Amino acid sequence: MKYYIIAGEASGDLHGSNLMKALKEKDQNAEFRFWGGDLMQKQGGTLVKHYRDLSFMGFLEVAMNLRTILNNIKFCKEDIRNNKPDVLILVDYPGFNLRIAKFAKELGIKVIYYISPQLWAWKEGRVEIIKKYVDEMMVILPFEEDFYQKHNVKSHFVGHPLLDAISNLSEINVDDFKAEHHLNEKEIIALLPGSRKQEVEKMLEMMLSVRPHYENYQFVIAGAPSLDKEFYQKFVDENVHFVSNKTYDLLRCSKAALVTSGTATLETALLNIPEVVCYRGSKISYAIAKRLVKNIKYISLVNLIMDREVVTELIQNDLNTKNLVKELQQILEGEKRTKILDDYSLLREKLGGKGASENAADVILNLKK
């Protein structure tokens, strides 16, 4: 089959690449054309656009880049029309992908949505678009299946693809990792500030404000593949280091982590590293989001899946040096650290075992029959 896949963010690139790998194992004649990133490109096929040119953060940034976004949508439609794929696979990224779903369905192309938009949090009305234009909805969070059932939309819970990605990791030696990246002997606190330049600058400044309180640790920034190494240099010194494209290895060698909200919060938990979740948006964007998001008590996937607070979330004004120092201390040692690690075990049980990519590939290939 000819597959056209659209992933607009770093997490989508990861999940898209694992899905492509599973599809290739089951369909030896698979042809891929995709919007994604470096990981998807390694699986072969044609990269149409990289996600670093697609991702805009917050309501204001979206408004300021509206012309670029609309041009990308127009270009994508023409590319699909010209290449006539057998199936369109949409990976999250709803503002863009739901528009493309409607267009593709009207062309008679089978439309599959892999990794549901967070409609349970906001814009629930978009369920009607999915009902109308999506042939198969595959979800990766247990409670999403119930959400779609409530709206009379059939969905498949395929498991969470992060379990696949993590299960494939080879063992790592902490001393070897430190030597390879010129780190000192101190224990590591990992900093995961996000993937967008605007976000990273804001979050790193706050995260690094705790340094005077943790002189016995070294801080290591997880570099995003979408940002150049040079961008991080202003934050680096003798006790703040930078590692690029090695986030999983970095986390596995760390004692704890400060993590910007998003998929990284779940990745950190599944790798068994105690964390503090951090988020601060612009006042306007946050005010708008609070009005739109309904009945959602948490922002981290860890807490949402467990439906209780497992990891501390410091949001907006609560994200300050005093609170960061206090929460970080509690997860470096003591009862709270032990409790988080116990809860992480329950989290993995709730998500089920590995095999999400393979399960998703089966759903896609069954659609052909």
Side-chain angles (χ1 to χ4, degrees):
M1 291 214 295
K2 291 170 66 177
Y3 304 90
Y4 198 106
I5 307 174
I6 304 174
E9 297 173 313
S11 59
D13 180 39
L14 171 65
H15 302 324
S17 68
N18 285 325
L19 178 60
M20 289 167 71
K21 182 180 178 183
L23 283 168
K24 285 195 299 183
E25 290 172 357
K26 297 171 182 290
D27 179 2
Q28 295 181 350
N29 297 315
E31 294 180 30
F32 297 106
R33 190 172 180 85
F34 54 91
W35 297 44
D38 300 342
L39 295 175
M40 293 173 73
Q41 197 163 21
K42 285 178 183 176
Q43 293 299 325
T46 302
L47 174 64
V48 181
K49 287 212 175 194
H50 200 288
Y51 68 78
R52 63 172 162 256
D53 301 321
L54 308 173
S55 192
F56 301 103
M57 174 191 173
F59 298 98
L60 288 179
E61 193 181 354
V62 168
M64 290 168 60
N65 291 279
L66 191 57
R67 177 172 290 184
T68 300
I69 294 168
L70 292 175
N71 284 339
N72 282 335
I73 291 171
K74 181 180 179 182
F75 175 81
C76 184
K77 289 178 177 179
E78 286 303 309
D79 197 54
I80 290 172
R81 191 195 301 275
N82 293 336
N83 286 278
K84 300 180 177 63
D86 296 305
V87 62
L88 172 68
I89 303 171
L90 307 170
V91 185
D92 200 358
Y93 198 48
F96 189 95
N97 276 340
L98 287 175
R99 293 181 182 224
I100 302 302
K102 180 177 185 294
F103 172 80
K105 185 68 176 175
E106 289 171 350
L107 287 182
I109 297 168
K110 291 289 186 183
V111 179
I112 293 174
Y113 219 119
Y114 179 48
I115 304 180
S116 169
Q118 295 178 351
L119 305 185
W120 35 267
W122 69 312
K123 294 195 175 181
E124 192 168 338
R126 283 177 165 177
V127 171
E128 295 304 315
I129 300 175
I130 286 169
K131 190 183 292 187
K132 203 169 181 182
Y133 301 115
V134 174
D135 294 291
E136 294 285 345
M137 170 59 73
M138 296 185 288
V139 300
I140 63 172
L141 300 174
F143 60 81
E144 290 178 323
E145 203 168 27
D146 294 334
F147 169 81
Y148 280 107
Q149 187 174 6
K150 183 182 78 173
H151 289 280
N152 298 314
V153 175
K154 185 181 177 183
S155 65
H156 301 266
F157 173 60
V158 294
H160 205 292
L162 282 180
L163 292 168
D164 289 351
I166 287 166
S167 69
N168 293 329
L169 296 174
S170 55
E171 287 191 25
I172 191 166
N173 180 283
V174 176
D175 292 332
D176 290 346
F177 178 83
K178 287 180 176 178
E180 180 186 351
H181 296 285
H182 310 292
L183 307 179
N184 59 47
E185 73 285 351
K186 295 179 181 178
E187 288 191 293
I188 297 169
I189 296 174
L191 305 180
L192 279 65
S195 59
R196 303 174 180 96
K197 188 176 290 189
Q198 171 194 17
E199 175 184 48
V200 170
E201 287 183 330
K202 185 185 299 182
M203 298 309 299
L204 273 181
E205 184 178 346
M206 177 52 64
M207 290 173 172
L208 288 170
S209 71
V210 306
R211 287 182 59 195
H213 301 270
Y214 295 99
E215 294 180 350
N216 294 328
Y217 291 87
Q218 59 185 320
F219 294 84
V220 184
I221 301 165
S226 55
L227 298 176
D228 296 330
K229 181 179 179 181
E230 289 71 28
F231 166 75
Y232 293 94
Q233 291 311 303
K234 60 188 172 186
F235 299 104
V236 173
D237 59 30
E238 72 282 351
N239 208 36
V240 178
H241 307 275
F242 163 80
V243 172
S244 183
N245 295 323
K246 294 282 184 178
T247 300
Y248 285 4
D249 289 350
L250 168 61
L251 284 169
R252 290 190 292 160
C253 294
S254 299
K255 185 76 179 288
L258 302 180
V259 185
T260 298
S261 63
T263 304
T265 63
L266 183 57
E267 291 172 310
T268 303
L270 293 178
L271 289 168
N272 224 33
I273 307 303
E275 64 184 305
V276 179
V277 177
C278 309
Y279 177 80
R280 181 181 285 171
S282 74
K283 289 182 179 179
I284 295 175
S285 290
Y286 184 70
I288 295 171
K290 276 198 76 172
R291 291 176 66 90
L292 294 176
V293 174
K294 52 178 186 171
N295 303 322
I296 299 297
K297 294 180 285 187
Y298 308 107
I299 63 167
S300 70
L301 284 170
V302 178
N303 293 343
L304 282 166
I305 294 166
M306 295 295 286
D307 196 27
R308 59 185 172 87
E309 185 180 278
V310 171
V311 295
T312 297
E313 300 176 353
L314 297 178
I315 305 170
Q316 290 301 96
N317 293 335
D318 287 337
L319 180 60
N320 56 54
T321 304
K322 180 182 176 182
N323 286 341
L324 270 178
V325 169
K326 173 190 166 189
E327 296 298 335
L328 185 54
Q329 187 59 47
Q330 290 185 16
I331 65 170
L332 284 169
E333 49 194 291
E335 290 182 12
K336 185 161 186 178
R337 179 180 179 86
T338 303
K339 179 69 166 64
I340 285 177
L341 293 174
D342 288 344
D343 283 337
Y344 283 174
S345 297
L346 297 174
L347 172 71
R348 285 189 288 274
E349 285 180 26
K350 204 161 188 177
L351 286 173
K354 63 179 183 176
S357 304
E358 190 172 331
N359 293 339
D362 285 337
V363 172
I364 293 167
L365 291 169
N366 284 336
L367 191 63
K368 179 185 176 184
K369 296 174 182 177

